[in-house]
Amino acid sequence: MPVRSLKQTSFFDPEFAMPGCLAPGAVPWLLARHGSLLFPDWLLAGWRDSDIGRDGWPARVLVKMLLLRWLEEGMSRRCSERRAKTDVVWRAAMGIALDKAAPSERTVRDFERFLQAQHVEAGVQRALLLHEHIVRLCRGAGVVGAGAVWAADSTPMWCYGAVRGTVRLLGDGLRSLGKMWARSTKQKLSVVAADWHLPLLLGKSAKGSMQVDWRDSDARAGATDSLARDVLRVVDLLRTDIASARSRDRGRILQLCRSLVRVVRDDLSEDDGGRLVVARRVARDRLVSITDPQARHGRKSKKRTFKGFKLHVVGDVVSGLIASLTVTSGNVHDGAPASRLFGRAKALFADIEKMLGDTAYGGAPLRDRARYEHSIEVVAPAPPVPAPKNDRLRKADFDIDFDTWTVTCPAGATTTTHSWAKTREGKARLFSFAVDDCDNCELRARCLTGSHRKRRLLLHVSEQTVREARTAWLSPDVRRLYRERSKCERLVHSVTRHGGRQARAWGLRAAHLQAHAIATVCNLGLLAAAMAQAP
Ligand code: SF4
């Protein structure tokens, strides 16, 4: 039995029970020794600061518990509650004596909601504020060296809600609606099933209780049609009778009704016989889960697809520091949140000049926004030059002087005459050559189409950026720098290793909090190593 020291507060001190449980350089050690530095009072201000009721757990203990939850591969809240009760290292990191209780799952859930809310003074989500505070500490501790290489990438994050096919989305959705309605109107489920003429509400599975041979295509189409019509009938019924439900449940019931109608609209179409059958088409924003309505189909590559969310990461591939990240639905293009992430990273590291990214980040609009809004040059494969069709002259065969806005064709004719055309990206220059030049031209057959007497050339809104990117992409220095991008897998791996591949709660807000907690844990690992080595 160790002897009690003067510094120690009691025999129930975890470090007394297990000396050396906090290894210097590890995250629990950092949490235990530098809690006030990592989680200053201003950051967690507003947590149960009312003087009514019993004292709550201090925010600093709860934030440590939240981060420890993602230190390994991630775990459920219930599991983290058990771990906090029994694990001496966790107790030492959280600063709880062995004879004291641990925070309950419900408290952790409340605290997560607190972190998801905006900070009163900063006007930013607290989880994001916490992540950026730790990034600043990492910067101060010299985690990011002079040779930092910044890169952006994305990775799939599977949603927490059940992903189903069309029939099960409708069937399970209808069953959930029945249960919700029975609970809200204080009726038995059997009464609701009888009222709605839907025995499937009482069965163990929607598909099983329909008693259909699902291998028979005709029977399958008939069952789908009848299920879809049942859904529409019940939704109509509930919308007119919504006042019978408890007021606090009405929003959820109507939301589920909207989701079910959306599944019918997106996934089904009428066949020749007027039956609603599963449509053979691609729906752009198709619902894949009734319980996780923000989850979507995503595509990792041409052949690999996933369902759920997408995690976008920006960081230094040399040190492994994650500077900014976000979570979107799975069908959001990588380029869409990129500019915002670049801006947040630039606000933390003013010396970022170049950002490596794959082809998804190589589009001209993102390059322009990164350059003009954040002074960042995107290093990514340039948009490819379209292959020539029937030996015809392409736009890429014309030279453009962007200083004088003069276009020179392959035959040597020049023009500065242009008008403006409306395109999807915005107003673009439409150049036209003189009829006299084109009438006497040897390349006329390859340049003009149909009865056109002069060539017109529509430039892209960001034509200059596209051409500069194509020229830069030919440079060996750019290609050498781009090879560093493959190390970006390290950033992605550090997030997925701590449980970032699978969302642990429903919805994007929860996934966002989870992603930021994981990134904070990853950065704390780097900070702990740096602080352990510091004199
Ligand atoms: S047809 Fe007109 S634009 Fe085309 S190459 Fe000849 S002169 Fe140039």
Side-chain angles (χ1 to χ4, degrees):
M1 181 82 176
V3 177
R4 186 178 166 186
S5 73
L6 288 174
K7 280 187 181 173
Q8 178 203 330
T9 52
S10 83
F11 284 106
F12 294 106
D13 185 346
E15 287 192 69
F16 176 69
M18 190 193 276
C21 62
L22 295 175
V27 173
W29 167 80
L30 186 69
L31 294 177
R33 296 285 182 270
H34 301 283
S36 52
L37 175 74
L38 301 175
F39 316 114
D41 292 337
W42 62 264
L43 185 65
L44 301 171
W47 169 243
R48 290 192 176 169
D49 47 4
S50 132
D51 25 352
I52 304 167
R54 64 184 166 77
D55 284 348
W57 281 98
R60 216 169 267 166
V61 172
L62 294 172
V63 73
K64 287 176 183 178
M65 185 170 164
L66 178 83
L67 295 175
L68 287 168
R69 182 180 162 198
W70 301 109
L71 187 57
E72 290 156 26
E73 292 176 5
M75 59 186 80
S76 64
R77 286 189 204 99
R78 178 61 59 84
C79 189
S80 71
E81 179 192 343
R82 281 200 294 266
R83 193 77 184 267
K85 273 182 190 155
T86 54
D87 194 314
V88 179
V89 177
W90 276 46
R91 283 190 165 253
M94 291 162 67
I96 308 178
L98 295 180
D99 60 334
K100 294 277 187 298
S104 69
E105 186 199 352
R106 193 169 159 192
T107 309
V108 174
R109 197 183 288 271
D110 287 349
F111 186 69
E112 284 182 9
R113 248 179 254 130
F114 167 76
L115 283 185
Q116 282 170 0
Q118 283 201 342
H119 190 276
V120 181
E121 284 172 20
V124 179
Q125 199 191 36
R126 285 191 183 90
L128 176 63
L129 214 54
L130 170 65
H131 171 254
E132 294 193 342
H133 173 67
I134 300 296
V135 172
R136 279 193 204 94
L137 290 180
C138 288
R139 186 185 62 192
V143 169
V144 177
V149 177
W150 298 93
D153 204 355
S154 73
T155 193
M157 185 181 200
W158 299 316
C159 61
Y160 187 63
V163 174
R164 302 285 187 232
T166 304
V167 173
R168 288 197 65 187
L169 279 180
L170 293 175
D172 291 356
L174 207 47
R175 284 155 56 81
S176 304
L177 203 52
K179 284 178 192 162
M180 222 183 262
W181 186 256
R183 217 176 307 126
S184 186
T185 53
K186 296 185 179 162
Q187 298 181 71
K188 283 191 171 173
L189 188 58
S190 53
V191 175
V192 174
D195 275 359
W196 292 0
H197 309 293
L198 281 177
L200 72 84
L201 296 189
L202 302 173
K204 279 191 176 170
S205 106
K207 269 179 110 171
S209 35
M210 289 165 79
Q211 298 186 341
V212 170
D213 179 5
W214 292 98
R215 287 166 299 182
D216 178 352
S217 61
D218 200 42
R220 202 166 55 224
T224 309
D225 177 65
S226 117
L227 184 60
R229 292 193 190 282
D230 282 341
V231 165
L232 296 176
R233 177 172 58 82
V234 168
V235 167
D236 271 352
L237 195 75
L238 295 195
R239 278 180 177 162
T240 50
D241 204 18
I242 191 67
S244 320
R246 280 187 304 211
S247 55
R248 68 165 188 246
D249 296 333
R250 287 178 200 162
R252 283 174 59 217
I253 291 172
L254 290 176
Q255 171 63 41
L256 188 48
C257 288
R258 275 195 292 275
S259 298
L260 286 170
V261 171
R262 188 173 169 171
V263 172
V264 173
R265 190 192 63 204
D266 288 352
D267 291 15
L268 304 179
S269 64
E270 280 194 357
D271 67 359
D272 297 339
R275 289 186 304 185
L276 286 170
V277 292
V278 177
R280 294 200 167 274
R281 62 159 186 257
V282 177
R284 270 185 72 80
D285 205 27
R286 184 179 168 257
L287 220 66
V288 294
S289 170
I290 284 286
T291 45
D292 225 335
Q294 288 159 316
R296 292 287 181 276
H297 271 289
R299 194 166 277 283
K300 183 67 189 145
S301 65
K302 207 171 176 185
K303 288 189 178 163
R304 284 174 57 205
T305 59
F306 64 92
K307 294 181 184 77
F309 305 127
K310 202 188 259 187
L311 189 61
H312 307 261
V313 187
V314 168
D316 170 26
V317 298
V318 177
S319 64
L321 182 100
I322 297 167
S324 61
L325 79 162
T326 192
V327 183
T328 61
S329 294
N331 60 351
V332 173
H333 190 267
D334 287 1
S339 176
R340 190 162 37 95
L341 293 184
F342 294 176
R344 291 221 302 263
K346 182 80 179 185
L348 294 163
F349 294 90
D351 56 346
I352 299 178
E353 288 175 355
K354 288 188 164 60
M355 185 69 68
L356 312 188
D358 58 20
T359 318
Y361 297 87
L366 176 61
R367 287 177 192 267
D368 275 349
R369 288 190 70 184
R371 180 186 293 170
Y372 298 121
E373 290 178 16
H374 313 303
S375 310
I376 292 177
E377 206 64 45
V378 175
V379 179
V385 178
K389 278 186 200 157
N390 304 328
D391 200 27
R392 304 202 72 81
L393 295 180
R394 301 158 301 174
K395 186 163 57 173
D397 297 321
F398 290 68
D399 284 335
I400 304 169
D401 182 342
F402 291 101
D403 292 332
T404 57
W405 288 106
T406 307
V407 180
T408 308
C409 72
T414 60
T415 182
T416 54
T417 310
H418 69 267
S419 55
W420 292 93
K422 264 190 189 172
T423 64
R424 205 174 43 176
E425 291 83 18
K427 266 170 65 179
R429 281 184 164 85
L430 177 63
F431 281 86
S432 52
F433 283 85
V435 174
D436 289 349
D437 287 338
C438 296
D439 273 348
N440 307 319
C441 176
E442 290 174 359
L443 300 174
R444 190 187 156 78
R446 289 177 58 203
C447 190
L448 300 181
T449 53
S451 58
H452 291 168
R453 292 196 56 203
K454 62 179 182 181
R455 173 74 189 239
R456 281 151 50 104
L457 200 72
L458 179 64
L459 303 193
H460 189 275
V461 175
S462 309
E463 186 72 31
Q464 185 172 3
T465 309
V466 173
R467 291 194 174 220
E468 281 173 4
R470 283 186 190 137
T471 312
W473 189 240
L474 301 175
S475 154
D477 290 343
V478 171
R479 301 297 275 263
R480 202 174 305 120
L481 175 63
Y482 185 70
R483 278 199 280 278
E484 297 285 312
R485 200 205 72 82
S486 59
K487 291 183 194 160
C488 197
E489 296 304 328
R490 176 186 173 189
L491 293 180
V492 170
H493 175 67
S494 63
V495 178
T496 54
R497 187 166 61 94
H498 288 97
R501 180 67 77 214
Q502 169 76 61
R504 280 281 184 174
W506 290 285
L508 262 181
R509 270 172 77 84
H512 201 256
L513 173 66
Q514 176 180 338
H516 277 86
I518 291 174
T520 304
V521 167
C522 296
N523 292 343
L524 281 177
L526 302 173
L527 183 62
M531 288 181 84
Q533 285 170 7

